[in-house]
Amino acid sequence: MQQEEFLQLKAYARNFGGIMGLWWILSFACFVGVLYEPALSFAFDLSIIAIPFIAVYMVSYYRDRILKGVISLRRGFAYAAFILFYATLILAIAQWVYFAFLDSGRIVTVMLERINSPEMQPVFEAYAIPKAELIEQMNAISASRPIDLVFSFMWFNMFASLVISFLVALICKRTNRIAYGR
């Protein structure tokens, strides 16, 4: 890949990464909303499941419209990884704003309320989860700085992005041109 092609790849990835970042922010908003309105859990689940499909669409669009129907595994992986890394950075900024200025410990408080509710006791017994250990972990999370929480999410998202990028590249790889009637 030439320098000019690499710059083009990053430029298109930034555009689609911005769109994917907005999708991830919407997904995070649904996650936060689930704590207050359980009906949003369906929207959260759907938004998370849709991420690889959206990434496949974005890489396919780049392959078909920009690269004229051909993309190698390596270029597909790089393009998908850049899209998802840019989305991760955008989400990290949004999460930091949320945890630093808007949350004020509400997520942990609501989770602790749910853990202490009588409805959860059978769940703890069925899965042999020590309730005291879970409460201790939630207290550790509540003592964390917002940037620490964001970095935890960000590293997980980056690792997951690498896995998703490889799978997307496998799906979108094409070495022969296919005529689309254009």
Side-chain angles (χ1 to χ4, degrees):
M1 184 178 337
Q2 302 294 328
Q3 178 70 15
E4 184 177 307
E5 293 171 331
F6 184 67
L7 291 174
Q8 179 192 46
L9 180 138
K10 287 192 334 184
Y12 279 99
R14 273 192 302 273
N15 292 336
F16 278 135
I19 294 167
M20 183 70 83
L22 293 175
W23 182 261
W24 285 16
I25 291 170
L26 177 69
S27 178
F28 180 69
C30 288
F31 168 75
V32 171
V34 164
L35 299 173
Y36 306 102
E37 180 57 52
L40 284 175
S41 74
F42 181 71
F44 172 69
D45 293 342
L46 208 58
S47 66
I48 292 296
I49 291 169
I51 288 170
F53 296 101
I54 295 170
V56 165
Y57 171 78
M58 290 175 170
V59 174
S60 297
Y61 181 91
Y62 177 70
R63 176 196 66 206
D64 295 339
R65 299 284 198 298
I66 309 306
L67 301 178
K68 297 182 175 70
V70 177
I71 194 166
S72 67
L73 180 68
R74 187 175 77 177
R75 186 179 289 194
F77 175 77
Y79 185 66
F82 273 119
I83 288 172
L84 297 176
F85 285 164
Y86 289 132
T88 295
L89 293 175
I90 291 169
L91 177 64
I93 292 167
Q95 286 176 329
W96 179 77
V97 168
Y98 176 77
F99 286 120
F101 302 110
L102 302 174
D103 182 58
S104 303
R106 281 187 286 185
I107 286 181
V108 173
T109 303
V110 170
M111 289 180 148
L112 282 171
E113 288 173 3
R114 300 256 168 92
I115 290 169
N116 290 320
S117 69
E119 298 87 26
M120 290 300 291
Q121 297 313 310
V123 175
F124 293 130
E125 293 168 7
Y127 290 103
I129 300 172
K131 181 178 172 182
E133 184 180 313
L134 191 56
I135 290 174
E136 184 180 318
Q137 290 174 357
M138 293 305 298
N139 288 332
I141 290 173
S142 69
S144 298
R145 298 176 307 166
I147 195 74
D148 297 330
L149 293 172
V150 170
F151 273 120
S152 296
F153 286 121
M154 189 177 79
W155 292 123
F156 173 78
N157 289 341
M158 284 191 170
F159 175 75
S161 294
L162 288 174
V163 174
I164 292 171
S165 296
F166 181 72
L167 297 173
V168 167
L170 278 175
I171 292 169
C172 295
K173 176 186 150 220
R174 187 181 300 151
T175 55
N176 296 329
R177 294 185 198 274
I178 297 176
Y180 290 105
R182 287 185 244 168

